[in-house]
Amino acid sequence: MVTLKELAKLLNVSVSTVSKALSDSSEIGEATKKRVTELANELNYKPNRIAQQLKSSETKVVGVVVPSLMNPFFAEVVHGIETTLGNHNYDMTICISNESLEKEQRSFDLLSTGSVDGFIVAVARETQKEYNIKHFESVSKSTPIVMFDRVLNDVNCSKVVVDDFQSVYEAASYLIEKEDRKHILLISNIQELSVGQHRINGYKKAIQESNLSESILKLDGEKNPDELILHYLKEHKDVDAIISIDHITGIMALNMVKKLNKHVPNDISVIGFGYADSQFVSSPKISVINQKGYEIGKSSALTLLEILSKKVKTTYKTEMVKSELVLNETTKKA
């Protein structure tokens, strides 16, 4: 691979001239810039990124730490982050915590030694349960952090969240007001997370306002959650609507309703949670509370880039991305 020094020799100019020409410096004439650029492209010259980083004290890399990429929501968020960073000439390094506090801590230890300029993170399940924030507090003193979706309020950093409470409140209210449902079951396997509790509280408010009885099925990491859902529906034949507050149990619930030979949505309406493309993996197409993962990823990346650009120094903000209730074939047409 050709070097900067070799380019300068071939062009019979100084190394400084070549460097400034490739940086589009106003000190270099347009004719010289053209000569340098054309030869650099012809010889496939690539700048020494490590040298650039040492000179600027920037890596142009962002560390992204997520609980999982098996969850389509997090995959969609990461896509939004990657696209946005790429549009601003940044790259990213991804670490997966696997819902483990220890792995999350190791990810921060690995990347907080000058490898990245900042972090974008969704907190691991175990971290939230134990509320261990020492690694965040330590890193945030020198490296900016942006949290999304699963956040820790006591950590001083910017955050991008979903309107979890309001989104489920509106979904439950729709089933009550537009479909006249009286026995709405809420299914959750994330009740120990902050986002799960906000969603449960949104459901409870809608139920209480209509003087209905709460029905909440907490799966708590069951090995066979579909069987538990099926058993519940057999025991509670009056259930006429289901809201799932995580990305998978809505599909499970739909399948179990069909297994009982009940018609969806005439007998039971079903609303899932997470991402709009859920409709393409279910029959009938499931109605869903779309978290808009791509937009969350984009907003998280832009927030961090704003901080890194020095436009924001110590002012932290919390941005809320509004979800959308997407009605498909598992709810009645209003």
Side-chain angles (χ1 to χ4, degrees):
M1 184 182 294
V2 67
T3 65
L4 201 69
K5 188 174 182 179
E6 289 169 339
L7 276 178
K9 186 176 181 179
L10 290 170
L11 291 163
N12 197 28
V13 295
S14 68
V15 172
S16 174
T17 297
V18 174
S19 178
K20 290 179 179 179
L22 293 173
S23 300
D24 198 25
S25 171
S26 58
E27 298 178 33
I28 307 300
E30 291 302 319
T32 301
K33 284 182 185 178
K34 184 177 180 182
R35 284 180 60 219
V36 172
T37 303
E38 287 179 349
L39 184 60
N41 290 336
E42 180 183 337
L43 298 179
N44 195 31
Y45 166 74
K46 302 294 183 185
N48 187 326
R49 185 162 183 172
I50 294 176
Q52 289 180 329
Q53 292 170 1
L54 290 172
K55 186 176 180 180
S56 65
S57 298
E58 294 180 342
T59 68
K60 289 290 188 178
V61 178
V62 168
V64 178
V65 185
V66 293
S68 170
L69 286 179
M70 297 295 288
N71 184 327
F73 167 69
F74 289 122
E76 194 175 355
V77 172
V78 168
H79 178 45
I81 293 171
E82 192 279 332
T83 301
T84 306
L85 291 177
N87 290 339
H88 291 79
N89 296 316
Y90 272 78
D91 293 316
M92 69 178 185
T93 296
I94 300 179
C95 289
I96 300 172
S97 68
N98 243 349
E99 303 288 11
S100 163
L101 168 61
E102 181 186 358
K103 287 187 177 180
E104 185 176 84
Q105 290 172 329
R106 281 164 49 192
S107 297
F108 273 78
D109 288 342
L110 173 68
L111 299 176
S112 61
T113 55
S115 300
V116 298
D117 295 335
F119 286 93
I120 299 175
V121 57
V123 176
R125 186 185 296 247
E126 187 179 9
T127 303
Q128 279 211 323
K129 287 178 70 174
E130 298 189 14
Y131 212 83
N132 189 317
I133 64 175
K134 290 181 180 179
H135 52 302
F136 294 118
E137 290 179 327
S138 175
V139 169
S140 64
K141 293 176 182 178
S142 58
T143 309
I145 299 173
V146 173
M147 290 184 174
F148 73 89
D149 188 48
R150 301 185 193 175
V151 303
L152 299 170
N153 291 329
D154 290 336
V155 177
N156 289 325
C157 67
S158 290
K159 303 172 179 75
V160 178
V161 297
V162 182
D163 56 338
D164 291 293
F165 177 96
Q166 190 66 20
S167 62
V168 178
Y169 171 79
E170 291 177 358
S173 297
Y174 175 87
L175 292 170
I176 295 166
E177 297 168 8
K178 302 297 184 181
E179 298 194 7
D180 196 31
R181 300 300 189 180
K182 303 296 185 184
H183 302 280
I184 303 172
L185 170 65
L186 181 135
I187 303 177
S188 167
N189 67 2
I190 57 169
Q191 56 275 358
E192 74 276 17
L193 299 177
S194 58
V195 293
Q197 196 56 57
H198 290 321
R199 294 168 195 174
I200 290 172
N201 289 341
Y203 162 83
K204 287 183 175 182
K205 182 183 178 184
I207 295 299
Q208 290 167 2
E209 286 181 348
S210 301
N211 294 315
L212 300 177
S213 298
E214 295 177 8
S215 298
I216 301 176
L217 177 59
K218 298 179 180 179
L219 300 178
D220 292 322
E222 289 286 332
K223 291 183 178 179
N224 300 300
D226 51 345
E227 293 181 8
L228 192 62
I229 294 169
L230 181 63
H231 177 75
Y232 188 96
L233 293 175
K234 285 180 177 179
E235 294 292 316
H236 300 81
K237 294 181 170 56
D238 57 350
V239 171
D240 56 9
I242 298 172
I243 298 175
S244 162
I245 61 169
D246 58 84
H247 80 284
I248 190 66
T249 54
I251 303 291
M252 288 184 184
L254 174 59
N255 290 336
M256 294 306 100
V257 171
K258 289 160 59 180
K259 195 168 185 176
L260 292 172
N261 294 318
K262 291 196 174 186
H263 187 275
V264 179
N266 291 344
D267 298 326
I268 299 181
S269 292
V270 180
I271 296 177
F273 201 105
Y275 60 110
D277 285 352
S278 298
Q279 63 178 308
F280 301 119
V281 295
S282 70
S283 179
K285 293 180 178 179
I286 191 169
S287 297
V288 68
I289 299 169
N290 179 14
Q291 283 182 279
K292 298 187 177 178
Y294 184 90
E295 285 80 358
I296 292 172
K298 179 179 178 181
S299 295
S300 300
L302 289 175
T303 298
L304 181 59
L305 289 171
E306 185 180 11
I307 295 170
L308 294 175
S309 71
K310 306 299 188 294
K311 292 179 182 177
V312 176
K313 292 184 179 179
T314 57
T315 302
Y316 304 117
K317 64 179 182 180
T318 296
E319 180 180 349
M320 181 171 287
V321 176
K322 184 166 176 54
S323 58
E324 178 186 11
L325 179 58
V326 181
L327 300 175
N328 289 309
E329 296 172 352
T330 61
T331 46
K332 293 180 179 180
K333 294 182 179 179

